[in-house]
Amino acid sequence: MKILIAATGVPGYLNPLLAVAKLLMKHNHEVLVLTSPELKVAVLATGVSFRPEIPESKTYFLHARDTPKRPDTASSMEMFAFEMEHFFARSISAQAASLELALEKFPADLILADSFYFGTLPMLMGPRSERPLIAHLGMSVLNLGSGRNLPKMPGIFQELQEEERMRRERVLLRPTQLAIDRALIGLGCDTLPCAALESMASLPDLYLHPGIESFEYPYTSACLSQIRYIGPIPLPSTEAPLPAWWHDLDKKKRLVLVTQGTIANRDFGQLVGPTLEGLAKEEDVIVLVTTGGRPVDSIPCEIPSNARVAPYLSFAQLMPHIDLLITNGGYGTVNMALAHGVPIVAAGLTEDKEEVSAHVAWAGVGIDLRTNQADPVILRKAVREVLETPSYRSRAQELALEFASHDTEKELLSLLEGCVRAKFGSASLERELYAWAG
């Protein structure tokens, strides 16, 4: 197969697609990655062929700074709506033009894009016979922000939930729909036949979701037959060695890992600091902190004697030993923890983190503090509850078994090859595979 991989100019979206690219090349498929020029080095470093988007694309995530200034007091929902209008919808035209130009030189059988690469929409809105097959790879919880499948929340009156739904419609859904439809009309397309924040899952020929069904609200897979859960994507190995202090830890104590990721980590006073303060006197706990590459002195509090800090930590090596993850809701980190049966305390409201954290609570694998600014006392109480209530770990271990039931490499290859085979016929695919295999 000839596969064109299209990635939004965000490293966190590119990396899973690079892992898929390496896997496809391992099985003799021809791959080209199309993304922002600023990410050329990252692509070529993995040995994958690279093509830049058109020069005026400005789809690299740092170009979001060129948009109108975000309101300082904006809520997480308002911030999401702002980014959808001023970054993602704005990028559709450049991404669509880049795809068309790439296909002239690289006539792909299939385009595989991340689930925020809205530049595939103009093709998806056109005749299927005049385009390659299109598959999307999920980057977070399904239908992020759509609000259609919000579960009932214990202790919250139905009237308040209805008010929240109406607010979501007014603040996020309607402005996003208008922005994307406006971009499509500008390219000569019709408006979307569905809700904008559901379009990336409902319109492609195939939607590959790097996760498990039990972590998603129940309506999604029943309504969207093209969704396929494939378990965790094996990311390229860039793991840091474990620090020297790892080998001296008292493994009889409970190990708690806290992280704010590598992007939303400008202010360690939001989660890392409150964790260290809240757990400083917990003698049965050792707190492991990663700063995501930032200096250790960026942590705005004294490091207690029961804490160990490193700029980077190998999650793949740590997770089998961890008793609890404290996170601001990064989807990849949450997935990794659940794949190892680790329960979670989540505290994050930026980007997709609010909904990821809500899924943690809904799935029964941890507690969602529903804040972007954790309080040390409240956080300590949540940590004690998760550590001392067996149901959280047992539920996380149930999800780990579901993760383990997936053979991600085999399933991903089978689904992509099957999609092409269904359109072009098995004989054609087999001839191409034979030719590439030499």
Side-chain angles (χ1 to χ4, degrees):
M1 292 188 295
K2 293 173 74 73
I3 299 176
L4 176 62
I5 290 181
T8 304
V10 179
Y13 295 171
L14 173 65
N15 290 336
L17 286 166
L18 287 179
V20 173
K22 294 281 286 183
L23 187 153
L24 291 167
M25 292 168 61
K26 170 185 167 184
H27 291 269
N28 301 308
H29 296 301
E30 190 177 354
V31 179
L32 176 67
V33 170
L34 171 72
T35 189
S36 305
E38 292 87 345
L39 292 170
K40 177 179 180 179
V41 173
V43 175
L44 294 179
T46 64
V48 183
S49 297
F50 168 80
R51 180 183 173 91
E53 291 177 329
I54 59 176
E56 60 271 27
S57 62
K58 292 190 176 182
T59 59
Y60 187 52
F61 77 104
L62 290 181
H63 287 300
R65 298 173 180 173
D66 301 333
T67 63
K69 189 177 185 301
R70 308 174 188 182
D72 293 332
T73 58
S75 67
S76 60
M77 191 181 299
E78 290 168 333
M79 292 286 281
F80 187 14
F82 186 91
E83 290 169 356
M84 287 304 305
E85 178 179 359
H86 295 286
F87 181 70
F88 292 104
R90 184 198 69 180
S91 299
I92 289 176
S93 177
Q95 289 176 339
S98 298
L99 282 170
E100 294 286 358
L101 288 172
L103 289 171
E104 290 180 7
K105 300 289 186 181
F106 187 82
D109 301 307
L110 182 142
I111 295 171
L112 175 62
D114 67 74
S115 58
F116 283 89
Y117 200 93
F118 289 87
T120 57
L121 287 178
M123 285 190 188
L124 288 168
M125 296 286 287
R128 189 170 184 265
S129 60
E130 297 179 11
R131 63 166 174 82
L133 292 164
I134 296 177
H136 290 159
L137 182 71
M139 293 291 118
S140 186
V141 293
L142 280 168
N143 298 328
L144 178 66
S146 69
R148 174 176 296 210
N149 52 341
L150 291 176
K152 292 182 179 180
M153 298 180 182
I156 297 180
F157 291 113
Q158 185 175 350
E159 292 82 359
L160 292 177
Q161 280 203 297
E162 187 57 32
E163 287 180 14
E164 178 63 16
R165 289 182 186 276
M166 292 174 65
R167 175 174 171 268
R168 183 178 293 258
E169 178 69 30
R170 182 183 71 256
V171 172
L172 173 61
L173 301 184
R174 197 177 304 145
T176 297
Q177 194 82 26
L178 289 172
I180 291 180
D181 279 342
R182 191 181 303 120
L184 291 172
I185 290 171
L187 294 173
C189 302
D190 293 333
T191 57
L192 285 170
C194 58
L197 293 180
E198 297 175 35
S199 63
M200 299 301 279
S202 62
L203 294 184
D205 302 294
L206 179 66
Y207 188 95
L208 300 171
H209 193 70
I212 55 172
E213 191 166 2
S214 293
F215 191 65
E216 297 292 338
Y217 300 149
Y219 102 96
T220 48
S221 60
C223 294
L224 299 172
S225 60
Q226 66 270 39
I227 291 175
R228 295 291 183 271
Y229 297 91
I230 58 174
I233 297 288
L235 295 180
S237 179
T238 56
E239 297 285 0
L242 289 172
W245 51 250
W246 169 256
H247 305 287
D248 299 325
L249 290 180
D250 183 355
K251 302 299 195 304
K252 294 178 182 178
K253 293 187 177 183
R254 288 163 159 170
L255 300 182
V256 174
L257 172 64
V258 58
T259 175
Q260 286 185 218
T262 56
I263 295 179
N265 64 357
R266 295 179 183 176
D267 180 6
F268 286 130
Q270 293 180 329
L271 184 59
V272 169
T275 297
L276 293 173
E277 292 176 25
L279 301 182
K281 297 180 181 180
E282 299 296 299
E283 295 181 358
D284 65 330
V285 165
I286 297 177
V287 183
L288 310 181
V289 182
T290 169
T291 64
R294 295 198 64 210
V296 173
D297 59 14
S298 300
I299 299 174
C301 68
E302 184 178 347
I303 308 300
S305 60
N306 68 336
R308 304 291 184 273
V309 184
Y312 295 102
L313 288 172
S314 169
F315 287 2
Q317 296 179 70
L318 284 182
M319 284 299 179
H321 307 281
I322 296 300
D323 294 283
L324 174 70
L325 169 70
I326 301 176
T327 174
N328 57 352
Y331 184 67
T333 303
V334 166
N335 256 0
M336 183 177 290
L338 295 178
H340 288 84
V342 177
I344 297 165
V345 170
L349 297 178
T350 60
E351 296 94 25
D352 62 340
K353 295 175 175 59
E354 181 175 15
E355 290 210 26
V356 174
S357 299
H359 278 64
V360 166
W362 173 83
V365 296
I367 292 175
D368 174 15
L369 297 180
R370 298 188 62 77
T371 182
N372 215 40
Q373 180 64 58
D375 176 270
V377 175
I378 295 175
L379 190 143
R380 176 192 175 278
K381 183 179 178 181
V383 167
R384 297 310 322 182
E385 180 178 341
V386 173
L387 288 176
E388 295 169 7
T389 306
S391 61
Y392 290 111
R393 175 164 286 275
S394 62
R395 179 59 177 153
Q397 289 173 340
E398 288 178 16
L399 267 60
L401 290 174
E402 189 172 341
F403 269 102
S405 72
H406 286 279
D407 183 335
T408 301
E409 179 174 336
K410 181 179 179 181
E411 292 173 27
L412 191 149
L413 284 167
S414 176
L415 288 165
L416 291 177
E417 291 173 356
C419 190
V420 173
R421 187 179 295 112
K423 180 174 181 179
F424 298 110
S426 59
S428 172
L429 180 60
E430 288 170 3
R431 282 196 300 270
E432 293 182 24
L433 292 174
Y434 181 80
W436 290 332

